[in-house]
Structure formats: structure tokens, C-alpha cells
Amino acid sequence: AKSRSHNRYQFYIATIDTEIRQRKKLEMDLHEALEHHELSLVYQPQIDFKTSQMVGAEALLRWKHPEKGLISPEMFIPMAESNLDIIPIGDWVLESACHQLHEWRQNGFSDLRIAVNLSAIQLRDKNIVDRINYLLNKYQIPPQRLEIEVTETCIMEDIELSSEQLNKIKATGITLALDDFGTGYSSLSYLKQFPFDKLKIDKTFVEDLPANKENTVIVEAIIQLGRSFGIEVIAEGVETREQETHLINSGCTEGQGYFYSKPIPEKEFAEFLRAWKNK
Ligand code: C2E
Ligand code: CA
Ligand code: CA
Ligand code: CA
């Protein structure tokens, strides 16, 4: 019996060892992903409930690994954060999004806004404000057309520095959105403390609207909260007309989700834009 448990133990160690090695390998692959042109952005439309117009898009990062195929950002972003690769990758995301917006604007879609996710590491980067100003200038983007999304967890890691940085970013004139709202802690105090223009209701609350009574109450409370602070509220993860109707009736102003479109590559998005405009 003793040797059997010993074997099992060795097996366990070997498994962990393989996992660590595979993770290291993936991390090294990610380190070269930019250079190898394996990263791309997809865009998901954001719809204004009042006018039914497409008012913007969220840019979401994709990594196509040469052997493993698509890898989820939920998996590789934490990896890039752990070794600071998120700085060059995040820079690339910001620049690509600004470049894309510039192109849309030149094609006559000058009212569109683009939203970019910012990691905690990027938020604390001393160069981030200069970088944003540089890109706005380079791509001739009116600041209010660029939106930065940060999560509650991102801010929580260093409240003082986050506050300082967010105020500097806000001073550039771009829009600030608080992502995944309601999933972290002390949401309420953040709203008072930080210069957010917009709240994004997390998709876990939208998922089972209106059947789930708790989520219905939470969503209504978030929308009321946004209203009383004079902050826009957008819902993510809208998948059905029922959810949309419920959100509109609760006073939510914008939506994003599979009901309108999945996140799609630039080419498809351009077609979607034209089709939506002529609807
Ligand atoms: P997020 O910012 O909360 O993005 C929303 C996620 O919900 C996206 O997953 C999107 O594809 C997905 N989604 C959109 N509509 C629906 C829907 O109707 N139903 C469902 N079930 N899901 C929907 P994705 O693209 O896999 O991204 C996951 C997370 O990775 C993002 O969550 C964000 O935290 C992170 N991420 C993605 N791109 C970037 C980036 O460029 N920079 C940073 N720092 N993080 C990023
Ligand atoms: Ca987001
Ligand atoms: Ca979110
Ligand atoms: Ca999320």
C-alpha cells in the first residue's frame, strides 16, 4: 500500500511539473506573439437603446497560437500581466484600436466611439497618459471618442495610485468606464471617489434576466445608482430581446451582447456597420 501511494504521489508531482512546463512554454510563446503577428482585435457593437444607433464598439484581444489555435484572453492576459508583457501588448491594443477608429472616421463613421480594456499594470504605468495623448494626436481622435474600461479589481490593488492615474487620464478628455460593475468589493465608494463616466453592468447579472429575481433587483439598483450619480449605464452580455426589453424598462441606456453581434474582426465589422446604418 505504501509503494502505491508513493507512486500516486510521484504521478501527481509529474503532472504538476508538466503543467508548469507547459505554462512556461505558453508564456514564452506569448512573449513572441506580437512579433509573430498572432494577436488581433475583434470588435463588439454597443447599441444606444433610445435611438437604436450603434454608438461604439469594444475592442477585444485575440491570440491565435500557431499550434493550439485560439486561446482565451481570460487565460493569457493574466499571464502577460505576470511578466509585464502586458505593457507592450496593451500598447499595441491601444494603438491598433486608435488606428481602426481613425479608419472608421475617414469612412464617414465619425460618431463612433471605441472602448479599450486597460489592465491594472497599464493603469499604474507612468507613461500611460503621455501614450494616450500621443495616440489621440497621431490618429486625430477627439478624446471623447476613446473610452477606457477598467475593472473594480484593477483599482482595488492600489487605490491611491489608481485614483491619481484615473484623474490624469480623465484630464485628457477621454471617457472612463467601470467594467464588471458589481462583481468586486466596495463598488459604491468607488463611484464617489473616481471620475467614471460610465458603469458596465457585468454579464453575470444580465444572464438570467428577468427570471432571476435577485439579479433583476441588482440590475435595477445599479441603473438607479448610475442615474443618481449622473453616470451612464451600459449592460454587457445582452443575448435576448427579453433581456433588452427589461433593461430598457429599467432605464438602462446602452447594451452590448450576442443579441446584436458577437465580437467580430474588422472586415465583418465594417459590413455590420453599413448594414446597421441602412436598417
Ligand atoms: P470583459 O472586458 O468583461 O469583456 C466581455 C466578455 O464578454 C468578452 O469576452 C466578450 O466576448 C464576452 N461577451 C460579449 N457579449 C456576450 C454575450 O452576449 N454573452 C456572453 N456569454 N459573453 C459575451 P472575451 O473577449 O473572451 O474577453 C474576456 C476578458 O478578457 C475581458 O472581459 C477582459 O477582461 C479581458 N480582455 C479582452 N481583451 C483585452 C485587452 O485588450 N486588454 C485587457 N487588459 N484585457 C482584455
Ligand atoms: Ca471590458
Ligand atoms: Ca465586463
Ligand atoms: Ca469580465
Side-chain angles (χ1 to χ4, degrees):
K2 197 175 173 194
S3 81
R4 226 166 100 208
S5 74
H6 182 70
N7 277 345
R8 217 180 292 155
Y9 178 68
Q10 279 190 326
F11 172 72
Y12 180 63
I13 294 285
T15 309
I16 291 182
D17 193 51
T18 315
E19 269 169 22
I20 290 174
R21 233 179 292 161
Q22 277 174 352
R23 211 192 132 87
K24 258 286 62 75
K25 162 86 166 56
L26 206 60
E27 206 179 308
M28 279 160 63
D29 291 346
L30 180 59
H31 187 68
E32 304 195 314
L34 253 186
E35 242 181 277
H36 294 173
H37 305 286
E38 292 163 13
L39 299 182
S40 64
L41 290 183
V42 285
Y43 304 92
Q44 189 174 37
Q46 298 180 325
I47 310 299
D48 183 310
F49 286 148
K50 268 201 202 89
T51 62
S52 295
Q53 291 295 305
M54 191 197 303
V55 283
E58 178 177 7
L60 293 153
L61 186 57
R62 294 292 176 263
W63 178 22
K64 197 168 176 206
H65 189 278
E67 292 129 40
K68 296 178 197 296
L70 271 183
I71 297 179
S72 165
E74 313 248 22
M75 157 87 187
F76 73 80
I77 289 202
M79 208 174 246
E81 285 173 332
S82 72
N83 66 7
L84 300 189
D85 273 346
I86 192 67
I87 296 288
I89 291 176
D91 264 354
W92 180 86
V93 169
L94 266 173
E95 173 134 29
S96 305
C98 288
H99 181 252
Q100 185 60 73
L101 187 63
H102 176 75
E103 214 160 89
W104 290 335
R105 291 174 60 77
Q106 291 214 309
N107 291 330
F109 299 98
S110 49
D111 293 339
L112 274 188
R113 173 190 72 211
I114 203 158
V116 177
N117 294 285
L118 206 70
S119 139
I121 311 271
Q122 287 176 280
L123 179 61
R124 281 183 227 123
D125 181 0
K126 292 273 178 292
N127 298 318
I128 189 69
V129 179
D130 286 345
R131 182 76 183 151
I132 289 171
N133 278 320
Y134 166 79
L135 291 172
L136 291 174
N137 189 41
K138 178 173 178 187
Y139 294 101
Q140 295 151 23
I141 296 170
Q144 70 274 18
R145 296 291 170 221
L146 177 64
E147 187 164 287
I148 294 287
E149 299 189 0
V150 296
T151 64
E152 288 174 297
T153 357
C154 159
I155 302 169
M156 245 182 59
E157 288 169 23
D158 189 335
I159 296 192
E160 219 165 288
L161 184 55
S162 298
S163 167
E164 199 179 305
Q165 292 285 83
L166 284 170
N167 281 311
K168 283 186 191 159
I169 294 177
K170 172 80 179 179
T172 65
I174 70 173
T175 314
L176 283 178
L178 184 52
D179 202 358
D180 297 354
F181 188 75
T183 59
Y185 298 100
S186 328
S187 315
L188 291 177
S189 59
Y190 288 157
L191 278 193
K192 234 178 46 185
Q193 220 171 324
F194 298 110
F196 287 106
D197 304 284
K198 185 186 271 189
L199 290 181
K200 273 192 109 167
I201 306 177
D202 193 71
K203 60 178 181 291
T204 53
F205 300 121
V206 177
E207 212 167 55
D208 41 15
L209 284 185
N212 183 316
K213 289 291 165 262
E214 276 101 27
N215 281 354
T216 304
V217 172
I218 291 173
V219 164
E220 280 166 8
I222 294 176
I223 294 168
Q224 284 314 312
L225 191 71
R227 283 189 149 182
S228 46
F229 277 91
I231 297 173
E232 293 274 333
V233 179
I234 180 168
E236 69 174 18
V238 182
E239 294 183 356
T240 66
R241 178 161 314 275
E242 289 66 47
Q243 290 170 335
E244 185 196 59
T245 305
H246 186 81
L247 287 161
I248 292 174
N249 291 340
S250 308
C252 188
T253 47
E254 283 178 22
Q256 175 185 345
Y258 297 166
F259 181 55
Y260 313 103
S261 169
K262 293 206 165 181
I264 46 181
E266 149 189 7
K267 249 187 148 166
E268 267 176 75
F269 192 86
E271 285 161 28
F272 189 91
L273 257 179
R274 262 176 235 113
W276 192 274
K277 205 177 184 181
N278 296 326
K279 226 165 69 156

